[in-house]
Amino acid sequence: MTVADAQFMTGGRHGQAVTVNGTLPGPLLRLKEGQNLVVDLVNNASEGTSIHWHGMLVPFLMDGVPGITMPTVLPGQSFRYQFPIKQS
């Protein structure tokens, strides 16, 4: 997944956005219990970022909370998320 800065327009108004793979909102991931997830996050944005997997049971170090469970993925850096999907 590549994260980057972008501009968007809605209702005649312009704003700043962060896109994932060039889309806003980012892509939908469909996962199955027992599957191993491997996602490389590439940060092409101007600020640090991470992915927080809302509602999913993930290993602590993959939870995506910068400064608590992992360091921030800085601009120009990448991070590999890798964990088994434990619930459907």
Side-chain angles (χ1 to χ4, degrees):
M1 296 182 155
T2 301
V3 175
D5 298 324
Q7 296 280 323
F8 76 102
M9 188 174 87
T10 183
R13 298 178 68 186
H14 294 271
Q16 299 286 326
V18 175
T19 60
V20 179
N21 294 348
T23 64
L24 178 69
L28 173 65
L29 301 178
R30 294 185 186 269
L31 307 167
K32 293 183 179 183
E33 190 171 335
Q35 174 183 353
N36 285 315
L37 173 81
V38 178
V39 170
D40 290 319
L41 173 64
V42 178
N43 187 1
N44 288 338
S46 60
E47 296 183 19
T49 193
S50 66
I51 298 173
H52 175 67
W53 307 93
H54 288 276
M56 293 181 63
L57 300 173
V58 301
F60 182 74
L61 297 175
M62 298 282 125
D63 196 36
V65 182
I68 297 175
T69 62
M70 63 175 290
T72 299
V73 181
L74 297 174
Q77 292 184 339
S78 62
F79 180 83
R80 175 166 280 180
Y81 292 92
Q82 188 169 352
F83 54 87
I85 303 303
K86 295 191 176 208
Q87 84 275 25
S88 56

